[in-house]
Amino acid sequence: MLLEARDLKKHYPTRNGVVKAVDGVSFTLEPGKTFALVGESGCGKSTMAKLMLLLERPTSGAVVYDGQEVTAMRGRALRRFRRDVQAVFQDPYASLNPRLRVGKIIAEPMMAQGDLDRGAIRKRVAEALDVVGLQPDAARLYPHEFSGGQRQRIAVARALAVRPKVVILDEPTSALDVSIRAQILNLLSDIQDEYGLSYLIIAHDLALVEHFSDVTGVMYLGNMVEQGPTASIFDTPSHPYTQALLASAPRPDPDHHLPTDVIIGEIGSALAVPSGCPFHPRCPKRFAPCDSENPERRATAPGTWARCHLLHGPDTAPGHPELHLSERTRS
Amino acid sequence: MTEMSPMDHAPADQSRTDQPPVLDVRHLVTELRLRRGALRPVDGVSFRVGRGETLGIVGESGSGKSMTCLSLLRLLPRPGGRIAAGEVLVAGTDLTKLSEKELARDWRGRRISMVTQDPMSSLNPVYTVGDQVGAPLRYHGLAHSRAEARARAADALGRVRIPSPEARLDDFPHQFSGGMRQRVVSAMAIACAPEVMIADEPTSSLDVTIQVKMMDLYKQIQEETGVAIVLITHDMGVAASICDRIAVMYAGRIVEQGPAREIFRNPAHPYTRALLNAIPKLGEKSKRLYALGGQPPSLLDMPGGCRFAPRCTLADAKCLAAYPGDSDLGSGHRAACWRLSEEGAPDAA
Amino acid sequence: MTAETTRLPDHGIGAQLRSLFGDGFPWISAGILVGVILLAMVGPMVSPWQPGALDLRSAFQPPVWAGGAWSHPLGTDNLGRDIFSRIIAGTRVSVIVAFWAILLSGAIGTIIGMIAGYFGGWADTIIMRLVDMQLSIPPLALALILAAVLDPGLQAVVIVITVTYWSWYARIVRGEVLSLREREYVALARIAGCGPLTIFARHLAPNIVNTLLVLATLQVGQVIIFEASLSFLGLGIQSPDISWGVMLADARGYITNAWWAITMPGVAIMLTCLASNLFGDWLRDVLDPKRKQL
């Protein structure tokens, strides 16, 4: 395993109480794989990205990279982390400094590393531009001279040029047009295949996640409610929230009927996370224990678990789920 | 698209298009004069929407879909924006010929209303929701007293399914959740019982679980009031789930329009096909997406022939030379592609 | 893709200058400001009289349009000193004070504001409390306290103005940095491993230069008035040294029999302040990124 979140919590004290943006989330990103975090706005997935990138410090829990706790890193180890873990953000207009030339934008992570001379950096910039399908003379221009899709290519080139091992993609295509989205997604897939990169992708578009990721984690109000191989999550979703998300996703098919009864109301506030299962006020299937007790993880398929009281029944939790879980956490 | 079966003619679509249209847009051209010259973000757009019908205008950013909407209401940027040609007929009256005063008094917000993407910028944070929903009613003379405006505002809030509407009249916008705010905006749009409602990306800022409910709400409102809806969206999924008919815009022109089922099952224009192929679909496991190369042309530098030709895999000399006319594909399905006018449907994109 | 990337950019110095001088360039304000600066530099060379030269026989001569002679175009004061020459001499003090006070208060305020805005937390709390305290003390009261400690003169004026104005810059820079800090490219610079100094220099400073420029221009007028007030009250430049404020103070005693002696330096102050405000307003409009859209 490469990058791991161990029981991460991020609480923000505010005047009106404590916002529990992330409240105990764990997952592991394996080398060469893509892990997707999905959920509605306000579920804590963007806070997760900030924690994994060490832009914010967790309230408790740990981010572990290559066996070492990230918050404890200093000097060489920290510099290596800053090289190995890069990011591409949603808005290609906000993520490139308008006052810097593209060449300098792409060179910035290499300059911060300080182990390459100017010539080597220039060569790497040209290589990176080539990989993302831009001309080498793009390096001399400013960001405003490019379209949104081209800017996102520049953002990808920048992340790539330091030869990282992990790239965290926070909604990398949601600001782009449909026809440009496919270009960027294919580009990211190609780069992953070629360089063996790991991706952590944060997205709200389920079809994109199904298409793009190997493992999926579904977040709701700071909690991970279901996690497992993408195919298993999408083919047989166990948690009522995952089911609702999948059912609500619009499909380009005029004969597909979207149900309106799979979820109640709107996402709650992270200021006042409901007691028991955080999803229970919106769950059409809630019953007695849901409002008092937050359910434990239950294995639902190999490598897949969900947190729902409905899964306590004997026919939905085959074998020894707890045993399977402890295997996962120890591996 | 996965299915390319012969189109199954839907009689419902046919009968709807036979009705006299509530909104009839003919060869609309909108110009923007800038220092660098005049642009035409909308360049000869024609469509019709019947009573109780929803037309979806889909396209990418810069395709002119939002500018088309603004042109219908003559809310163009000033200075520089103007309708250069064409007609916008609402129930037989050409809005482009009306004076600004007439338009504001009798039409805008009264017989043709609009819902925008961001509910927060459509609502004034310092006025109560009751005041804001009631304001157009009083302005247009549909409510003669404050009490009547309040009663009608409560009625409108009830119609958008806001629970206990009377109790919420005195609440301020920030006291509503994101989805509820969009409902308030919709209540403002339907309060005057308009014949046409234009909705510009009304659900794009909402989460999918809320989006579903908003789209369901629009369908219900339409069934109750018969309002004709023009829905602007970039999301093919949203268009598929609510629209009766679809118009696909590219670089200021409608390249294909027709019944929704036709557009999704049997897309004729290479651009429509490419768009449909480029979106990842749930349950489809293929690793690679179909990616359309290049990007839309700049308004400052429009190709001379078919505007999609520089990105089209099927383009030949003719496509680069002249813009194709519409080909009628039956049951109101039309597309502008040389391949269709010459030899029927083009090969698969 | 090739077509877009090889397109020639239109952001050369030439194009920028053309757009700068193109529409609505405030020629008059700019002219006055440049004139004041030039006069401060070459003043003694163009001045018709020694500004301190006494000539009691020609005391209280009115300006030329009020019946005076061309030898003293703006008239003379109670000691027969040429007001025109004294105003020219006064520009020197005004320009020196404005330059140093704005440079020092701007530099100190910017650094402190950046630290407060970028690091936040307790550093921000302490700095902002300090700024609040500073802003709650009336500038003249502060000047009185400082004047008691410092020897009156040019240096004291610069120090008093710097101490008064740094908090303005600190507040505005902090606000800008607070919003810039949330920009994605700043987050990405941190992800890339850039240190705070690099982030200040590369990502924050270039984006607040415009704001600082506008603020500094608008402050020229205020600083000149402040200097005049201090000198008028006897806390700044002291007679026989010359500044516009000293001239006002000197002329106050015979305001009823020689209106011009107090009016002329007053007009000089007013024109310079007006010019700096108009120029600053124009600069703010031109540098506003939203205006560049069309």
Side-chain angles (χ1 to χ4, degrees):
Chain A
M1 74 205 179
L2 195 56
L3 188 60
E4 191 189 348
R6 278 191 198 151
D7 198 24
L8 273 185
K9 289 185 184 171
K10 181 67 185 176
H11 296 177
Y12 297 98
T14 69
R15 243 169 254 170
N16 305 321
V18 176
V19 171
K20 295 181 174 174
V22 172
D23 202 20
V25 170
S26 304
F27 66 85
T28 308
L29 180 60
E30 305 287 348
K33 298 285 185 196
T34 300
F35 188 100
L37 280 177
V38 292
E40 290 172 289
S41 49
C43 73
K45 57 192 198 295
S46 285
T47 307
M48 280 303 295
K50 285 185 182 155
L51 291 170
M52 303 306 282
L53 286 161
L54 197 57
L55 289 174
E56 302 258 8
R57 286 174 174 266
T59 309
S60 74
V63 177
V64 177
Y65 177 68
D66 217 6
Q68 224 185 325
E69 199 173 317
V70 167
T71 44
M73 285 182 178
R74 298 285 179 275
R76 282 174 73 93
L78 183 60
R79 193 164 334 132
R80 197 175 69 101
F81 176 76
R82 286 305 188 198
R83 184 193 63 207
D84 287 355
V85 182
Q86 295 296 323
V88 174
F89 288 152
Q90 171 175 1
D91 183 355
Y93 289 83
S95 60
L96 309 178
N97 186 341
R99 293 175 188 273
L100 296 183
R101 287 178 199 275
V102 166
K104 190 148 191 195
I105 289 170
I106 297 175
E108 188 171 56
M110 291 181 279
M111 283 155 65
Q113 285 293 319
D115 55 352
L116 292 172
D117 60 41
R118 279 166 160 264
I121 288 177
R122 203 170 307 136
K123 218 176 126 221
R124 287 257 197 112
V125 169
E127 279 170 21
L129 283 170
D130 184 55
V131 169
V132 300
L134 291 173
Q135 300 289 312
D137 55 1
R140 289 186 292 109
L141 304 181
Y142 286 92
H144 72 255
E145 292 165 68
F146 296 89
S147 66
Q150 289 173 323
R151 283 173 188 233
Q152 202 62 322
R153 285 171 190 269
I154 293 168
V156 172
R158 170 192 161 103
L160 215 62
V162 265
R163 315 229 163 116
K165 300 206 164 61
V166 178
V167 179
I168 294 179
L169 308 164
D170 189 354
E171 299 276 7
T173 60
S174 49
L176 304 175
D177 272 320
V178 178
S179 74
I180 308 297
R181 255 178 225 185
Q183 292 176 12
I184 299 290
L185 286 175
N186 284 345
L187 173 69
L188 289 168
S189 295
D190 292 346
I191 289 170
Q192 180 169 45
D193 292 346
E194 195 166 334
Y195 299 95
L197 284 175
S198 303
Y199 287 144
L200 169 63
I201 185 168
I202 316 277
H204 70 276
D205 181 345
L206 291 161
L208 182 155
V209 165
E210 181 179 24
H211 166 83
F212 196 73
S213 70
D214 303 300
V215 188
T216 299
V218 183
M219 284 185 73
Y220 187 80
L221 274 186
N223 286 257
M224 192 82 96
V225 295
E226 184 164 9
Q227 184 179 316
T230 300
S232 133
I233 298 275
F234 280 77
D235 293 344
T236 52
S238 309
H239 197 283
Y241 180 60
T242 316
Q243 291 165 356
L245 272 185
L246 275 168
S248 305
R251 294 161 199 242
D253 176 357
D255 295 318
H256 178 76
H257 174 70
L258 292 174
T260 54
D261 54 356
V262 288
I263 197 162
I264 302 161
E266 297 184 37
I267 192 165
S269 163
L271 255 174
V273 178
S275 62
C277 168
F279 183 61
H280 85 262
R282 300 183 71 190
C283 185
K285 299 176 184 168
R286 64 169 178 249
F287 60 110
C290 296
D291 60 353
S292 56
E293 211 180 308
N294 199 357
E296 289 300 312
R297 300 197 223 173
R298 294 281 150 186
T300 52
T304 313
W305 57 260
R307 294 174 73 165
C308 178
H309 286 298
L310 284 169
L311 302 175
H312 279 245
D315 50 346
T316 44
H320 302 279
E322 298 302 343
L323 185 80
H324 181 78
L325 255 175
S326 51
E327 261 170 30
R328 268 185 63 82
T329 37
R330 255 181 233 137
S331 66
Chain B
M1 279 318 277
T2 43
E3 289 171 62
M4 297 295 271
S5 59
M7 47 194 179
D8 40 345
H9 287 267
D13 289 321
Q14 190 67 55
S15 66
R16 269 198 173 136
T17 47
D18 285 346
Q19 280 183 7
V22 179
L23 174 66
D24 188 354
V25 177
R26 296 181 183 169
H27 307 291
L28 183 69
V29 178
T30 302
E31 261 184 13
L32 275 182
R33 279 173 198 280
L34 302 179
R35 261 183 264 162
R36 289 175 283 182
L39 309 179
R40 285 190 163 186
V42 180
D43 194 7
V45 160
S46 304
F47 57 84
R48 294 167 164 212
V49 194
R51 193 179 143 76
E53 189 184 40
T54 301
L55 171 79
I57 300 183
V58 297
E60 300 179 88
S61 52
S63 62
K65 56 190 196 302
S66 288
M67 201 56 89
T68 303
C69 271
L70 294 175
S71 305
L72 300 185
L73 288 159
R74 277 186 26 210
L75 292 171
L76 293 167
R78 284 182 197 204
R82 68 181 191 106
I83 292 176
E87 295 173 330
V88 176
L89 302 165
V90 176
T93 308
D94 185 358
L95 300 191
T96 65
K97 302 280 189 300
L98 296 177
S99 73
E100 181 61 33
K101 207 176 143 194
E102 282 176 296
L103 190 66
R105 192 187 57 211
D106 301 332
W107 296 87
R108 213 182 271 152
R110 166 69 190 88
R111 301 183 68 178
I112 172 164
S113 66
M114 185 156 179
V115 180
T116 55
Q117 175 171 358
D118 178 11
M120 231 17 204
S121 68
S122 307
L123 294 171
N124 189 330
V126 301
Y127 290 106
T128 65
V129 156
D131 283 344
Q132 295 189 63
V133 177
L137 288 161
R138 295 203 69 182
Y139 176 76
H140 292 295
L142 297 174
H144 300 290
S145 68
R146 214 181 125 71
E148 194 184 347
R150 272 179 75 84
R152 306 249 331 228
D155 177 56
L157 290 178
R159 275 200 280 158
V160 295
R161 313 297 189 269
I162 287 178
S164 47
E166 283 87 2
R168 302 220 64 178
L169 282 175
D170 297 317
D171 284 353
F172 289 90
H174 69 88
Q175 290 165 296
F176 288 77
S177 66
M180 283 297 153
R181 267 180 223 144
Q182 193 57 290
R183 282 174 192 253
V184 172
V185 172
S186 304
M188 288 168 71
I190 61 159
C192 296
E195 281 132 284
V196 181
M197 179 165 88
I198 296 165
D200 189 355
E201 304 272 11
T203 61
S204 302
S205 61
L206 304 176
D207 282 310
V208 283
T209 55
I210 312 300
Q211 179 171 277
V212 169
K213 293 179 186 181
M214 276 311 292
M215 291 190 296
D216 188 54
L217 175 69
Y218 286 136
K219 276 187 205 161
Q220 289 182 29
I221 289 174
Q222 190 168 53
E223 271 164 31
E224 289 165 14
T225 66
V227 63
I229 298 178
V230 179
L231 177 86
I232 310 290
T233 182
H234 68 279
D235 188 328
M236 290 300 233
V238 169
S241 66
I242 186 171
C243 299
D244 304 302
R245 300 178 69 251
I246 306 269
V248 181
M249 272 193 90
Y250 186 79
R253 291 191 171 171
I254 292 178
V255 294
E256 179 166 8
Q257 62 177 313
R261 193 165 281 105
E262 271 289 285
I263 299 287
F264 283 96
R265 292 264 181 273
N266 212 1
H269 197 281
Y271 176 65
T272 313
R273 294 179 180 203
L275 267 189
L276 288 170
N277 281 329
I279 36 179
K281 287 163 218 54
L282 280 172
E284 212 171 78
K285 300 279 191 282
S286 74
K287 186 70 180 160
R288 279 195 79 78
L289 292 167
Y290 173 81
L292 184 57
Q295 51 196 334
S298 154
L299 287 173
L300 287 164
D301 184 23
M302 210 44 99
C306 171
R307 291 172 176 185
F308 184 61
R311 300 174 79 186
C312 183
T313 48
L314 305 169
D316 57 22
K318 193 168 196 178
C319 301
L320 294 166
Y323 196 85
D326 270 359
S327 300
D328 195 340
L329 305 170
S331 64
H333 187 182
R334 311 162 69 80
C337 176
W338 282 117
R339 295 267 161 174
L340 298 169
S341 57
E342 283 165 353
E343 63 211 59
D347 304 316
Chain C
M1 205 108 340
T2 323
E4 280 82 17
T5 52
T6 50
R7 198 183 58 218
L8 269 180
D10 182 37
H11 57 71
I13 300 285
Q16 264 179 13
L17 283 181
R18 238 175 292 127
S19 77
L20 213 59
F21 288 106
D23 56 329
F25 183 78
W27 289 104
I28 297 175
S29 334
I32 291 174
L33 289 179
V34 169
V36 168
I37 292 167
L38 280 179
L39 274 183
M41 290 194 293
V42 304
M45 282 184 264
V46 295
S47 167
W49 302 83
Q50 280 292 319
L54 304 183
D55 179 8
L56 289 172
R57 274 168 309 171
S58 49
F60 291 132
Q61 281 204 16
V64 64
W65 62 88
W70 273 107
S71 53
H72 298 290
L74 299 182
T76 59
D77 65 5
N78 60 332
L79 302 174
R81 296 177 293 196
D82 181 44
I83 289 176
F84 183 53
S85 305
R86 289 176 69 77
I87 285 178
I88 290 175
T91 57
R92 195 177 200 107
V93 170
S94 296
V95 169
I96 291 174
V97 168
F99 177 80
W100 284 108
I102 289 173
L103 189 75
L104 288 176
S105 59
I108 294 170
T110 302
I111 292 169
I112 291 177
M114 276 200 178
I115 291 170
Y118 186 75
F119 292 106
W122 59 266
D124 186 33
T125 312
I126 290 174
I127 290 171
M128 288 326 286
R129 287 299 84 77
L130 212 64
V131 167
D132 288 343
M133 261 166 58
Q134 161 81 66
L135 289 173
S136 63
I137 303 172
L140 277 177
L142 189 71
L144 278 168
I145 297 164
L146 284 170
V149 184
L150 303 163
D151 290 335
L154 203 64
Q155 246 183 13
V157 170
V158 170
I159 291 173
V160 167
I161 297 176
T162 304
V163 168
T164 309
Y165 281 135
W166 71 270
S167 50
W168 290 43
Y169 288 91
R171 249 166 53 134
I172 284 173
V173 167
R174 171 181 173 269
E176 293 263 309
V177 170
L178 274 181
S179 82
L180 284 170
R181 191 179 64 170
E182 300 303 317
R183 298 279 162 88
E184 290 184 349
Y185 58 78
V186 175
L188 282 165
R190 288 173 63 197
I191 290 163
C194 296
L197 280 179
T198 314
I199 290 175
F200 280 153
R202 198 180 287 153
H203 298 292
L204 301 182
N207 284 298
I208 53 178
V209 161
N210 285 352
T211 311
L212 288 177
L213 218 58
V214 172
L215 192 59
T217 315
L218 289 171
Q219 222 154 54
V220 169
Q222 295 188 30
V223 168
I224 287 172
I225 290 181
F226 203 168
E227 180 276 324
S229 320
L230 289 176
S231 301
F232 182 83
L233 293 172
L235 303 170
I237 314 293
Q238 307 281 311
S239 198
D241 288 343
I242 304 159
S243 89
W244 294 343
V246 170
M247 289 176 74
L248 290 178
D250 286 353
R252 140 188 74 147
Y254 42 87
I255 188 167
T256 44
N257 40 354
W259 55 267
W260 54 90
I262 200 162
T263 308
M264 293 306 146
V267 168
I269 293 171
M270 192 198 80
L271 278 181
T272 317
C273 294
L274 192 64
S276 100
N277 284 342
L278 290 176
F279 192 75
D281 281 345
W282 170 81
L283 205 59
R284 179 174 48 204
D285 289 348
V286 166
L287 296 178
D288 183 1
K290 276 177 230 137
R291 231 186 65 118
K292 287 184 188 155
Q293 299 287 311
L294 281 182

